[in-house]
Amino acid sequence: MPAPDLLLGIDLGAGSLKASLITFDGALAGEGSHAVSTSAPKPGWSEQDPWDWWRAACAAVPAALARAGGDPKRIAAISFSAGAHTQVLEDRAGQVIRPAILWNDQRSGQQTRALRERADDRILEIGYNRANPTWTLPQMLWLKEVEPEAFRRVHRLYVAKDWLRSRFTGGFETDLIDGVGTLMVDARTGDWSDELCGLIDWPLASLPPIVQPKSRVGSVTAEAARATGLAEGTPVICGTSDTAVETYGAGMMRPGIGVAKLATAATVSVLSPHAVPHKEMINYPHVIPDHWYVITATNSCASAHKWLRDTFFRRDGEDGSAIFDQMERLASAVPPGSEGLFFHPYLNGERSPHWDPLLRADFVGIGFNHGPGHFVRALYEGISYSLRDCLEVLRANGLGFATARLTGGGAKSALWRQTLADVLDVTVELPAVADASFGAALLAGVGIGAFSDEAAAEAAIRVVATHRSDPERAEHYARGFVLYREIQAALAPLNHRIHAHMAGA
């Protein structure tokens, strides 16, 4: 029997679960995906049923395996990733207590303010990050105050990828990167923090042991093998958050290379030899040992692109991918600057650098000269400006890069890639494969020794497109960025007044 020669990465995204099988030299052998639905019972809420994740895995993994030839014994190891912060709560009987609150949920704004008033500087000192509605700590304070019965029932808290992985192994553990993402870990020591958990009376006994992302945490059980088509006993590696494995899979393994992620949300990440705690930035340990990655983020990216498509371009029954292609063609005919049309992508509030859940999106400067293509190009430019907003925070703190590797679905657009290069005034590179499932598969290889160490996996990464900043367009966008910021500052108070009006204040 030939030796196993494939690695499986499973990533739980905001809208779908994806499974990727790759060879040890980074070639894609097969992939499969399955949609995952999100519910919004109230404005600003974002929830998913964890069992939908398992059902999606049971569909996506066999599809990937079939495209790779169908032999599960070729798989040498499996690893996982998912969005940080999202939690699954189980009671003593192992039953899921309530839907998982996602990272983009905004319900805990009041609890965030309370935590900041009580211990803003101390939380930053211990957790290396500031409380905001994205993080598990304020979300669980919301649970305590609004759903106290659910709070009292909690026996185990899983982070999303760990709960999904436990369906394969039966284990209960997390990694340090996802642990830091709960804002319940002392980032200085790598242990769960009595003090942070004490702020919300969270029981430490409900939290999992912390291991390394590359640690082997079990094997595929017989039950999971029957459900997914995998081979019983296949090694399972812990894994970590989606952004961690995406930046890793894109090649952010040395200084000078950053990563811009154009996914449901958008992020700008940079490698650092140490954490840089700051109220406007996010800090995580990196897959690369003794390094951190520092992030700034905008809430709405591909989600805004999809919203524009579905709201203004798509008719019932039409193929969504074809509509995206049509939108790209229309935008390509519009000159840089969209003839004075600006877009701010705050459809669900905003993170960096504003950290304001009450900001809302806008198109500003509309005239009779603007057609459908202008709105698409303005969206590309507006999200790129928002990422420039994010990058400026990093630059102000001595962090930056000359080259950005791109990840996420938005990176498929050549026009968007070039726009981002011009707005950020950097070189943009597109890896052949750089999504989270690819990075998770690489991590699986590190976990079983297929690569000598984390950096050795870089040989499996290939760049297929390069976009360099054009000096003339970069100067044009530099002037436009000033206007973009001025419009945001002018409209922010009105966004707050609109919120108060709708709330009946």
Side-chain angles (χ1 to χ4, degrees):
M1 179 182 298
D5 61 345
L6 297 177
L7 301 166
L8 174 60
I10 298 174
D11 173 63
L12 173 63
S16 64
L17 180 142
K18 184 176 182 180
S20 293
L21 281 162
I22 67 170
T23 62
F24 287 9
D25 62 358
L28 183 66
E31 60 184 6
S33 64
H34 194 273
V36 175
S37 61
T38 301
S39 62
K42 295 183 180 180
W45 287 30
S46 184
E47 298 183 342
Q48 290 181 353
D49 177 1
W51 286 107
D52 278 350
W53 308 342
W54 173 240
R55 286 187 283 268
C58 292
V61 170
L65 189 58
R67 293 186 176 98
D71 183 1
K73 293 183 179 179
R74 291 181 62 194
I75 300 174
I78 308 168
S79 192
F80 294 79
S81 66
H85 320 298
T86 300
Q87 77 306 125
V88 180
L89 308 173
E90 284 188 353
D91 62 17
R92 289 187 178 276
Q95 299 299 308
V96 174
I97 294 172
R98 67 171 328 280
I101 301 172
L102 299 190
W103 54 267
N104 59 349
D105 188 284
Q106 297 292 302
R107 77 184 69 189
S108 59
Q110 178 179 332
Q111 289 72 27
T112 295
R113 290 189 292 273
L115 286 168
R116 289 182 179 181
E117 290 169 4
R118 181 179 175 187
D120 194 15
D121 291 340
R122 186 62 176 160
I123 292 171
L124 181 64
E125 179 184 352
I126 298 172
Y128 287 179
N129 292 287
R130 193 185 195 195
N132 64 74
T134 295
W135 300 80
T136 313
L137 184 73
Q139 291 173 350
M140 293 302 93
L141 180 56
W142 175 91
L143 185 78
K144 178 186 176 184
E145 295 176 351
V146 180
E147 297 182 1
E149 177 57 29
F151 185 90
R152 286 190 292 270
R153 288 178 57 199
V154 174
H155 178 64
R156 282 184 170 181
L157 182 151
Y158 293 84
V159 182
K161 69 100 174 44
D162 301 318
W163 184 88
L164 180 61
R165 191 189 60 250
S166 73
R167 302 309 98 187
F168 289 78
T169 66
F172 181 53
E173 55 278 308
T174 194
D175 70 288
L176 181 59
I177 301 172
D178 261 338
V180 167
T182 66
L183 206 55
M184 295 178 174
V185 158
D186 188 328
R188 303 166 301 183
T189 66
D191 300 317
W192 296 109
S193 169
D194 287 329
E195 186 171 348
L196 293 180
C197 291
L199 291 172
I200 65 170
D201 298 320
W202 192 265
L204 286 172
S206 70
L207 301 170
I210 297 174
V211 302
Q212 293 186 39
K214 63 181 179 181
S215 296
R216 180 171 176 174
V217 292
S219 304
V220 174
T221 65
E223 181 180 0
R226 287 192 294 271
T228 62
L230 295 172
E232 181 181 355
T234 303
V236 176
I237 306 303
C238 180
T240 188
S241 73
D242 55 359
T243 302
V245 293
E246 282 167 347
T247 57
Y248 176 59
M252 196 177 79
M253 302 180 185
R254 60 186 186 276
I257 294 181
V259 170
K261 175 182 177 180
L262 303 179
T264 301
T267 61
V268 179
S269 303
V270 63
L271 189 67
S272 174
H274 51 78
V276 188
H278 190 283
K279 289 182 178 179
E280 293 183 355
M281 299 189 298
I282 301 169
N283 286 264
Y284 290 105
H286 196 29
V287 173
I288 301 295
D290 302 318
H291 280 77
W292 290 70
Y293 65 101
V294 185
I295 307 176
T296 48
T298 182
N299 265 350
S300 302
C301 178
S303 53
H305 192 207
K306 181 178 181 295
W307 166 82
L308 186 71
R309 179 197 69 182
D310 293 346
T311 304
F312 296 106
F313 288 88
R314 189 177 187 179
R315 293 186 295 270
D316 289 344
E318 289 185 318
D319 176 69
S321 296
I323 300 302
F324 277 141
D325 293 341
Q326 176 191 356
M327 292 166 64
E328 179 91 350
R329 289 192 294 272
L330 291 169
S332 296
V334 173
S338 302
E339 297 188 287
L341 183 63
F342 285 84
F343 172 69
H344 293 79
Y346 311 144
L347 286 152
N348 194 29
E350 186 53 305
R351 286 189 276 177
S352 302
H354 308 292
W355 299 104
D356 188 345
L358 303 185
L359 292 183
R360 286 298 176 263
D362 59 66
F363 282 101
V364 173
I366 304 171
F368 282 122
N369 58 313
H370 293 127
H374 291 81
F375 286 85
V376 181
R377 179 145 198 157
L379 182 137
Y380 290 165
E381 293 172 341
I383 293 171
S384 299
Y385 279 139
S386 190
L387 288 174
R388 170 84 178 256
D389 239 352
C390 294
L391 180 57
E392 291 300 323
V393 175
L394 296 175
R395 287 171 170 166
N397 286 275
L399 301 169
F401 45 80
T403 300
R405 296 272 175 87
L406 290 194
T407 68
K412 296 175 183 177
S413 165
L415 177 59
W416 203 346
R417 296 195 302 266
Q418 185 61 56
T419 300
L420 189 64
D422 293 332
V423 171
L424 299 187
D425 197 15
V426 300
T427 296
V428 164
E429 295 180 342
L430 179 68
V433 186
D435 55 23
S437 57
F438 174 79
L442 286 182
L443 190 56
V446 174
I448 61 166
F451 308 112
S452 59
D453 57 27
E454 287 82 354
E458 189 173 7
I461 300 165
R462 293 184 292 275
V463 171
V464 295
T466 300
H467 299 262
R468 292 180 173 82
S469 173
D470 175 86
E472 184 175 342
R473 289 194 299 267
E475 175 59 29
H476 173 82
Y477 283 128
R479 297 192 303 271
F481 180 62
V482 175
L483 284 171
Y484 175 90
R485 290 297 305 270
E486 290 177 352
I487 295 167
Q488 184 278 328
L491 291 182
L494 292 175
N495 291 157
H496 285 226
R497 288 173 59 189
I498 290 169
H499 175 80
H501 171 69
M502 296 303 295

